[in-house]
Amino acid sequence: MEDPRPLVIDPAGRDIHGEAARIRERGPVTLVELPDGVEAWAVSAPELLKRLLTDPRVSKDPRQHWPRWINGGISPEWPLFTWVAVQNMFTAYGGEHRRLRTLVSTAFTARRTATLEPRVEEITKGLLDRVQEAGRRGQVVDLREQFCYPLPIRVISELFGLPEEQGAELRAVVDGIFHTSATPEEVTDIYARFYAALGELVALKRRSPGDDLTSALIAARDDEDGTRLSEQELLDTLVLMVSAGHETTVNLLDNAIHLLLAHPDQLAHVRGGIASWDDAIEEALRVEAPVASLPLRYAVEDLTMSDFGGPDGVVIRRGDAILAAYAAAGRHPDKYGDDAADFDVSRADKEHLAFGHGVHFCLGAPLGRLEARIALPALFDRFPGLRLAVKSTELEPVDSFISNGHRTLPVHLS
């Protein structure tokens, strides 16, 4: 008999894929318990999740549609507070979401992303030079620290015009946002520090605008009514784009490198032309989603799952919270077969939800893919004898059930 109690999610994310398997075992949609006893429906079946992500009766705005928030049941000390408290396109609904996404899209254009390619190549080369120096005489190099982390943070800092001296603080506060087992004191401290840093950035760009995304967001106007982002929307948009655009790419690089080193036959397929680097990137995104689970969405009205192709008898009630279980969906055997957990760059169906789906699809996906497309071949071309310095089972996950990556990625360069 199935346990009627919600599956308690480990806030520290110590077994992302074991937990994802337990979610799938309970069915396409099941109740889970998040930190502080907050309950949500975890959706793990890819097609059901896609239908819910595109349905207008599913909202991301807690101020309108989550009774626990409306009734004051969510404290600023809750580890996931920033994920639901921000006022930007991430938590907006309906027309308000369209307004905010339009304003951000006018600043974060495909052209701006494309112009970054030469700079990403330059940063990558410089970092690989440092990696080579760090690994001289056979020393172990932590690639997450020396390569996967600094590349996205350098790119995002330059994109937003962040002063170089703010880099260390930016890294600390972004790490804190994803630290889902943080203490109440840590949560409130990170929240205050993040907004202080971004407030300084906005003040700087108002005094001295530049050719950067922060200046573009300050200047952006809605063509229909001429409105700008409010001060809170501006700061919260920066919170979203700096944190999401940085951490997810770190994990993409980290996971892709690890998968290729742990599966030398798959790396040989890429090197031999049997599969492309794009194949490796998309398969890495599928099998190791950089964001394992994304909080939160809310039912605007009662949702009968059988109407979405889901199980009979399951109803997500109006106001219930919904958790998009991307790591569980990426390895779902109903879609990918019995070998769903295997990393196979030649797999025919590599479709995934790692960047979301529908109106909230990640605006930064092209930039993340661009960085991976440049960084991965450059790394493996520079160090053809690259190998892991420890067994895969010895790698420790980051302290988060949202962020899916490793604390370190130790390697030998030859």
Side-chain angles (χ1 to χ4, degrees), residues 108 241 245 249 355 361-369:
F108 192 27
M241 300 186 78
T249 307
F355 291 118
F361 183 81
C362 178
L363 268 180
L367 179 58
R369 285 181 166 121

Side-chain angles (χ1 to χ4, degrees), residues 14 31 95 144 155 169 188 221 275 281 295 306 319 345 362 371:
R14 284 165 287 205
L31 270 177
R144 183 171 173 101
V155 171
E169 177 68 354
T188 52
R221 285 184 179 273
I281 291 166
S306 58
V345 295
C362 178
E371 291 180 54

Side-chain angles (χ1 to χ4, degrees), residues 168-239:
E169 177 68 354
L170 173 65
R171 171 176 179 169
V173 294
V174 169
D175 281 351
I177 293 291
F178 284 86
H179 180 23
T180 50
S181 63
T183 66
E185 294 76 19
E186 288 172 331
V187 172
T188 52
D189 175 62
I190 287 297
Y191 192 74
R193 287 166 59 190
F194 206 171
Y195 279 94
L198 294 177
E200 290 177 15
L201 173 65
V202 169
L204 171 65
K205 293 304 172 182
R206 283 209 167 99
R207 292 193 304 270
S208 304
D211 184 21
D212 56 73
L213 194 48
T214 304
S215 299
L217 286 170
I218 291 170
R221 285 184 179 273
D222 190 303
D223 289 339
E224 291 186 12
D225 59 15
T227 60
R228 296 179 184 269
L229 291 168
S230 71
E231 194 69 11
Q232 192 63 51
E233 289 168 348
L234 174 61
L235 289 171
D236 285 351
T237 295
L238 290 171
V239 167

